[in-house]
Amino acid sequence: FEGLAENGVQVFRGIRYGIDTAQTRFRAPLPAIRANGVVRAVQAGPACPQRSSTAGPQSEDCLFLNIWTPVVDARARRPVMVYFHGGAYSTGSGNDPLTDGATLATTGDVVVVTVTHRLNVFGYLSLARLDARYPDSGNTGQLDLVLALKWVRDNIAAFGGDPANVMLFGQSGGGAKIATLMAMPAAAGLFHKAATMSGQQVT
């Protein structure tokens, strides 16, 4: 991957972890096809379609992540912090300037990842009782996050991260998504620590 040097860190934006979800609408996501050659990762991918006008470009083709790392060194094995954004499961993206990972990557000496995934009706509308073709509908947004974590497990070492030391953190809806992942067998072993900042809905 080809990224950018910004504020003392290496930044990779718009890395695809899943195929265009228009091809899997209301169904489980499929992993991205591995590209041949160098992939430019210098521009964030679009957010899921939503009513918010502050999320930037929007598209069903929204399975992308961003990475900030102090240095690209496969031997570094730095802790990895994966952020899931809030927005009540209906709005937001991993591209918000407020969640820029540069400062955290440098002061914490960690690799930071933010994720964009399906939201609102695209990610959480349950259709299984109406149509047997969509057994995973209602959970596709969560399955997107599982797919992103599988990408992190398989690829983050190349960016200086330790796939055996992954912490999830998120605020509001992001915290609730993490609490849900903690109860999902499909997510077992993909992360090792979690911090939820409100919205965790744990009883």
Side-chain angles (χ1 to χ4, degrees):
F1 291 94
E2 177 184 337
L4 298 170
E6 296 179 2
N7 302 317
V9 297
Q10 298 295 311
V11 185
F12 301 85
R13 294 187 176 91
I15 295 177
R16 179 182 293 279
Y17 67 88
I19 69 168
D20 184 348
T21 61
Q23 302 175 53
T24 59
R25 188 180 295 161
F26 307 128
R27 297 192 298 272
L30 295 174
I33 299 170
R34 185 174 293 275
N36 293 321
V38 177
V39 176
R40 283 179 56 79
V42 298
Q43 183 174 348
C48 178
Q50 57 191 267
R51 297 183 70 179
S52 172
S53 61
T54 62
Q58 300 176 17
S59 171
E60 280 192 73
D61 188 10
C62 61
L63 302 189
F64 296 92
L65 52 80
N66 309 304
I67 299 173
W68 290 260
T69 182
V71 63
V72 177
D73 182 354
R75 301 165 298 177
R77 295 296 200 217
R78 287 179 171 84
V80 179
M81 297 182 69
V82 180
Y83 182 80
F84 294 146
H85 67 80
Y89 290 82
S90 60
T91 61
S93 83
N95 306 324
D96 192 314
L98 288 174
T99 60
D100 182 289
T103 300
L104 184 57
T106 54
T107 59
D109 196 30
V110 296
V111 177
V112 179
V113 180
T114 63
V115 178
T116 297
H117 65 101
R118 281 179 284 186
L119 302 166
N120 51 69
V121 295
F122 297 100
Y124 297 97
L125 174 65
S126 180
L127 299 170
R129 291 185 179 182
L130 303 175
D131 194 325
R133 293 176 299 170
Y134 305 117
D136 296 312
S137 64
N139 281 318
T140 53
Q142 291 299 127
L143 294 174
D144 292 347
L145 298 178
V146 170
L147 184 61
L149 291 174
K150 288 180 178 178
W151 189 96
V152 169
R153 177 195 63 196
D154 297 339
N155 297 279
I156 204 64
F159 297 86
D162 183 355
N165 188 5
V166 176
M167 179 177 130
L168 307 185
F169 68 120
Q171 178 265 343
S172 190
K177 294 167 194 173
I178 291 169
T180 302
L181 286 166
M182 292 173 70
M184 290 178 66
L190 297 177
F191 62 98
H192 313 93
K193 306 176 183 70
T196 61
M197 297 173 279
S198 88
Q200 64 266 28
Q201 301 175 0
V202 174
T203 60

